[in-house]
Amino acid sequence: MGVSKTSKATIFLGFLWLNLFQSVVGRFVVEKNSLRVVSPDVIKGTYDSAIGNFGIPQYGGSIPGTVVYPKENRKGCRNFEDSGTSFKSKSGAMPTFVLVDRGDCFFALKVWNAQNAGAAAVLVADDVDERLITMDSPEADGSSAKYIENITIPSALIEKSFAEKLKKVVNAGEMVNVNLDWREAVPHPDDRVEYELWTSSNDECGFKCDMLMKYVKDFKGAAQILEKGGYTQFTPHYITWYCPQAFTVSKQCKSQCINHGRYCAPDPEQDFSSGYEGKDVVVENLRQLCVFKVANETNKPWVWWDYVTDFQIRCPMKEKKYNKECADTVIKSLGLDSRKIEKCMGDPNADEDNPVLKEEQDAQASFFIFP
Ligand SMILES: *[C@@H]1O[C@H](CO)[C@@H](O)[C@H](O)[C@H]1NC(C)=O
Ligand SMILES: *[C@@H]1O[C@H](CO)[C@@H](O)[C@H](O)[C@H]1NC(C)=O
């Protein structure tokens, strides 16, 4: 998405597989000219910001305010009230925008802390010089998921250079009036909500795999209803990585990768000598991606949910059924075109890119950006 203007909000649900923890992910959408500084003149103008999707009211809107940069707890990772700081604006005064620094904790926690202290909006100052990119804020545990749903104030990531100007003016005691506009950052009423699900077909990694499978099973019903009703548009994703060039002929790479080291997954049992190998997981992940592609082409993307849950039940590693033969019976039972799926999968032994997995790796690169 880059810095291009986008009018669609994308929500993420599900698991961040690379991190191997359950995560609820909030996404920031980059908006051009979404933050306007009204005064003082030295920094007057419009600036880009990446607006967080939590806390944005369902309708679009804009909010004026004055910027405060707290004297302590500048990253906003701790409760502001513990240090007696309040951002509640006196009646008749402009709402308070709290400026906090990026780092040390998740975006959502900063916003939650500021909200509890009375802030009307939060600006997070980037700490590296970079173009604002679409940002995701993964949450590591269930406790954060609880407060995310209670965040009601908007938040936005701003560029480091702009943040420094802001701080300078605020620290000089000037009153900075701004206006944050997120009208373009929420889905339009006639738009579908888009979301992405990061998953894996691996069913033998203990607790984490069990959690993922349970999640997919539990969520399937609702996901299919929403998709069939045209309320959502989802895309499943699978993580792979590549073997460093120097190691492509090593035993590890050969057992974990397909397409000559281009797409790899860890050995499910972490034991190279027995059971399934990483490449078995990559191949099944690829099959599931192709199931989605083929199902989506026939305008029935929700069949993916049937495939992955059926495959889990019928073809588990434990019963030594995690293979093509078993997958084919599931494909057949769902009336999917197996030739199309095979064509999509290509030749895993070929020394060439697989377009489907290549696209996944590219998506991954822009996805794993951490607070
Ligand atoms: C979120 O709000 C609900 C309803 O007001 C409340 O019951 C719950 O305790 C709140 N959660 C947190 C983490 O404050
Ligand atoms: C799924 O189909 C829709 C509508 O035809 C399309 O816009 C979307 O890009 C497709 N998704 C993928 C991942 O191919």
Side-chain angles (χ1 to χ4, degrees), residues 192 233-236 292-293 296-297 299 301 359:
R192 281 179 296 191
Q233 183 177 5
F234 90 104
T235 314
F292 177 76
K293 254 194 142 52
N296 193 45
E297 276 164 14
N299 295 321
E359 204 175 297

Side-chain angles (χ1 to χ4, degrees), residues 112 116 143-151:
W112 178 236
N116 285 336
S143 63
S144 49
K146 285 196 199 85
Y147 64 68
I148 279 194
E149 58 189 37
N150 287 12
I151 291 176

